[in-house]
Amino acid sequence: MRTTVFSVIGLFSAALLAGCTSSDEKKSEPVLNPAATATAITEPFRYHRAIEVRPGLTFDVLSWGRGSETTGAFMILRSDSTNLKYRSTTGELDGKIVDAWNMDMDSDGNPEIFIHAEGEGEGSHLNMYVYEFNESGSSQKLTFPGLSTSSKKGYKGQDSIFINDGKLRRQFPVYEETDAPNKPGGGKKLLEYSLRNNSFIVKEVKEENK
């Protein structure tokens, strides 16, 4: 496994050098973490963002894959240049990465790295990959909850993700049965996520649902 990780990192470094002359990757809107930067890359890599949590501690989020635009893999590289400690975390990826950022939703001093991925086309689904990293560099995967039965009613993707008062919010249009594609008539649904003991708590914000 270690040889594989180092091989991927080596390929990634070469791709960065080769991609310096290509046009910059378009950043997703909104950028949740202004300290994160996008970098132009070449195949087999599709996405890279460097997230500086604090001076000396940076997380590089990248995805790669050949032969498909909607499946692949992701890697989170943790670089602690102050203590010269380096770790990597990998996983399978469903969809394309739209954005990546860090938070500390439970205020425990350990950063959580969020990866927001989406499928393509009408009804595109949202996938969130979340990992918390402790001071030693070890990571723990946090399960992002799926939609409840009531929330799924009228859901056809087109999610927007943003942060409000330290909580993660997810908004999407609601479709009625007779609605035409891309013309939702059921207003919008707003969900709010908080984190406690490394478990997500989700509630619907009804007063802002129109």
Side-chain angles (χ1 to χ4, degrees):
M1 176 64 183
R2 180 173 296 178
T3 301
T4 302
V5 169
F6 287 155
S7 299
V8 172
I9 294 174
L11 284 170
F12 175 52
S13 300
L16 283 176
L17 292 174
C20 289
T21 57
S22 62
S23 59
D24 290 339
E25 178 183 326
K26 183 179 180 181
K27 295 182 180 180
S28 60
E29 296 293 342
V31 177
L32 294 177
N33 180 8
T37 56
T39 306
I41 55 177
T42 59
E43 288 189 351
F45 299 95
R46 304 172 184 165
Y47 179 95
H48 170 236
R49 174 154 287 173
I51 303 172
E52 184 181 46
V53 174
R54 62 175 183 267
L57 181 60
T58 300
F59 292 84
D60 287 275
V61 177
L62 60 135
S63 68
W64 75 91
R66 296 184 185 274
S68 172
E69 292 296 323
T70 56
T71 59
F74 66 86
M75 176 180 284
I76 304 172
L77 304 177
R78 180 185 184 274
S79 298
D80 181 357
S81 59
T82 301
N83 299 302
L84 299 181
K85 293 181 179 179
Y86 305 90
R87 293 285 187 92
S88 63
T89 299
T90 63
E92 294 183 357
L93 179 67
D94 183 8
K96 289 184 177 181
I97 295 180
V98 176
D99 203 358
W101 65 93
N102 75 284
M103 296 180 68
D104 185 7
M105 289 182 67
D106 52 3
S107 301
D108 64 354
N110 296 324
E112 300 109 23
I113 299 299
F114 286 74
I115 299 176
H116 170 196
E118 287 185 359
E120 293 183 319
E122 183 184 353
S124 62
H125 55 279
L126 173 143
N127 284 312
M128 296 289 292
Y129 303 92
V130 188
Y131 289 82
E132 183 181 73
F133 291 81
N134 61 26
E135 192 62 30
S136 68
S138 297
S139 64
Q140 178 181 351
K141 183 177 181 179
L142 308 183
T143 301
F144 193 79
L147 295 176
S148 65
T149 301
S150 60
S151 295
K152 283 182 179 179
K153 187 176 181 181
Y155 174 76
K156 291 188 178 182
Q158 304 173 41
D159 300 85
S160 297
I161 301 292
F162 58 96
I163 296 170
N164 182 273
D165 292 333
K167 293 182 175 63
L168 190 70
R169 288 189 167 185
R170 174 183 185 180
Q171 188 178 64
F172 51 85
V174 177
Y175 283 80
E176 305 287 355
E177 292 184 1
T178 57
D179 287 341
N182 297 319
K183 291 184 178 181
K188 292 184 178 181
K189 187 161 292 187
L190 181 63
L191 304 179
E192 184 175 83
Y193 299 82
S194 56
L195 188 66
R196 183 182 301 166
N197 297 325
N198 286 341
S199 295
F200 284 98
I201 301 169
V202 57
K203 68 176 183 179
E204 183 175 342
V205 185
K206 295 184 179 298
E207 61 268 23
E208 296 189 32
N209 185 32
K210 299 180 180 180

